[in-house]
Amino acid sequence: MVTSRWKAASAQAVSSRRRGPVLERAILESALEQLSTVGWNGLTMEGVAAGAQTGKAAVYRRWPSKEDLVVHALQAGLPKFDEVPDCGSVREDLLRLCRDMRAAMTSRPGHALLAVLHECDAEAAARFHEVIVEGVVEPSVELIRQVMRRGIERGEVRSGATDQYVCEVIPAMMMYRSKVCGSEWTDEEFAALVDQVMVPLLRP
């Protein structure tokens, strides 16, 4: 009787188990959760499977390695940067963009990405280079370029300020502070960065 009840409960659990895209989303979310809590070194396929309430085989069928899983999880989970609101001036636009970028970096996918950046060795990190560039760096630089174009049209910004190096200053500073210094930006530090570095750099 006990065995029969156990079999019935097991069958019910299997029948209610998530499948297809729903299961895939659960696995990816579990991977991000693992990365943001136990980090890259602590993440295991078994732990991801347990968090998604599925079997390890279901994870390996979709992603043959930990690296493959994390790449897909980051691609699916990183916030999308589309456009920065027009706040009326280049200074305010840049401050708003800095705060938005900070929010993205401190989100669960952001913490997951930082875990990869902080803990991976050079060989493993190379696997994530494209994800970081296409998912974080290039969208951020393009938004800053949008701000520069608006500033040029307003007469606030010198021509030529859409140069790649100029547009990379803020993302580079933010990545340096996070990667090398292990600290995050405050609103006051964003204001100092914009007022002491960006505004003089952009002035006509």
Side-chain angles (χ1 to χ4, degrees), residues 18 23-35 38-39 42-56 58-60 63 66 69-70 73:
R18 292 164 291 186
L23 175 58
E24 184 171 306
R25 283 196 299 273
I27 294 171
L28 295 176
E29 289 173 4
S30 177
L32 292 176
E33 180 66 23
Q34 289 274 309
L35 277 171
V38 302
L43 182 145
T44 64
M45 301 294 261
E46 293 83 355
V48 171
Q53 298 181 337
T54 189
K56 184 172 64 174
V59 180
Y60 276 109
W63 301 281
K66 173 177 167 177
L69 171 60
V70 170

Side-chain angles (χ1 to χ4, degrees), residues 28 32 70-85 96-97 99-105 107-110 113 130-144 146:
L28 295 176
L32 292 176
V70 170
V71 165
H72 196 167
L74 290 173
Q75 287 173 332
L78 286 172
K80 306 303 180 187
F81 292 101
D82 296 320
E83 61 180 27
V84 61
R96 171 63 181 271
L97 182 55
R99 291 192 290 268
D100 289 348
M101 291 169 63
R102 180 181 60 192
M105 292 177 69
S107 66
R108 186 173 64 173
L113 176 61
E130 184 177 347
V131 178
I132 295 168
V133 171
E134 293 184 357
V136 179
V137 177
E138 289 181 350
S140 300
V141 169
E142 180 53 36
L143 287 183
I144 294 171
Q146 290 180 25

Side-chain angles (χ1 to χ4, degrees), residues 169-170 173 191-202:
V169 169
I170 290 177
M173 289 290 290
L193 172 62
V194 171
D195 291 337
Q196 298 176 27
V197 178
M198 296 305 297
V199 170
L201 180 64
L202 302 173

Side-chain angles (χ1 to χ4, degrees), residues 3-26:
T3 302
S4 298
R5 285 200 298 269
W6 182 87
K7 286 182 177 179
S10 179
Q12 182 178 2
V14 170
S15 66
S16 62
R17 190 174 295 163
R18 292 164 291 186
R19 292 179 174 82
V22 174
L23 175 58
E24 184 171 306
R25 283 196 299 273

Side-chain angles (χ1 to χ4, degrees), residues 123-168:
E123 183 178 353
R127 291 287 309 276
F128 304 104
H129 177 75
E130 184 177 347
V131 178
I132 295 168
V133 171
E134 293 184 357
V136 179
V137 177
E138 289 181 350
S140 300
V141 169
E142 180 53 36
L143 287 183
I144 294 171
R145 189 171 283 114
Q146 290 180 25
V147 172
M148 298 300 102
R149 292 190 188 108
R150 285 204 302 245
I152 292 171
E153 292 173 358
R154 292 190 187 114
E156 295 179 83
V157 174
R158 62 178 175 81
S159 62
T162 55
D163 178 87
Q164 185 79 9
Y165 293 111
V166 174
C167 295
E168 286 180 347

